[in-house]
Amino acid sequence: MKRAVFPGSFDPLTNGHLDIIKRSSPLFDEMIIAVLNNPDKNPMFSVEERCEMIREVLPTIETGNCKLIVDSFSGLTADFARNSGANAIVRGIRAVSDYEYELRMALMNRRLEPSIETVFLMAGEEYSYVSSTLMKQVFELGGRVAGLIPELVEAPMRSKKN
Ligand code: PNS
């Protein structure tokens, strides 16, 4: 059984995240979308809201035979992955600027849990500049984010703004 963890803040889920889930899921039997509980970062959505939105959106993408699970965690990704029985951590890389941060995380996670490999996927070109932070910023200032975040995420964002 090949089980992966795809960890992140997902505040909120973007089409870039969905693209990574869609493309990496055929590599695994099971994938846990693991939402970090990070109240210190003053997130737009609570961890429960983020999990709920992801659960609503996932049935809209094709993931073959891979079972998708949405869960939240606090503490170290490496601990969560080990306790979940995962053999891989999935991360997406958008641009060279992501590389250093991702390299540091992957090396640290490997030191913490040598049996778990980090698997990197290059972001889809059309999403290579899309981040949750940028989406929130543009949305808050009245810009268009259609096509970059799932429609099911746009409505909750609108209600946060009002
Ligand atoms: O979507 P993000 O914000 O880029 O995800 C970052 C995340 C959640 C993967 C990273 O911050 C993380 O793993 N946090 C948990 C704490 C931890 O394990 N830190 C050490 C990583 S080496």
Side-chain angles (χ1 to χ4, degrees), residues 77-94:
T77 293
D79 287 343
F80 177 79
R82 183 195 312 111
N83 295 337
S84 309
N87 19 44
I89 293 170
V90 169
R91 292 287 290 170
I93 291 197
R94 289 163 300 193

Side-chain angles (χ1 to χ4, degrees), residues 30-67:
E30 202 170 284
M31 182 180 295
I32 306 171
I33 321 301
V35 181
L36 178 66
N37 191 0
N38 49 352
D40 299 349
K41 271 180 111 180
N42 194 20
M44 178 179 237
F45 293 103
S46 70
V47 70
E48 294 79 16
E49 289 172 322
R50 282 178 268 159
C51 288
E52 195 47 47
M53 279 188 284
I54 298 171
R55 285 195 190 100
E56 273 179 39
V57 173
L58 287 182
T60 65
I61 61 166
E62 179 53 57
T63 55
N65 292 326
C66 180
K67 181 178 175 195

Side-chain angles (χ1 to χ4, degrees), residues 6-11 17 34-38 41 73-79 89-91 94 101-102 104-110 112 132-133:
F6 180 34
S9 303
F10 304 107
D11 184 44
H17 293 128
V35 181
L36 178 66
N37 191 0
N38 49 352
K41 271 180 111 180
F73 74 106
S74 304
L76 292 171
T77 293
D79 287 343
I89 293 170
V90 169
R91 292 287 290 170
R94 289 163 300 193
Y101 170 60
E102 293 297 336
R104 271 186 277 131
M105 272 209 301
L107 294 179
M108 192 63 215
N109 283 331
R110 193 165 72 197
L112 292 167
S132 300
T133 306

Side-chain angles (χ1 to χ4, degrees), residues 17-26 61-63 121 127:
H17 293 128
L18 271 186
D19 178 57
I20 296 289
I21 296 169
K22 202 175 357 179
R23 287 169 38 230
S24 59
S25 56
I61 61 166
E62 179 53 57
T63 55
L121 268 75
Y127 306 120

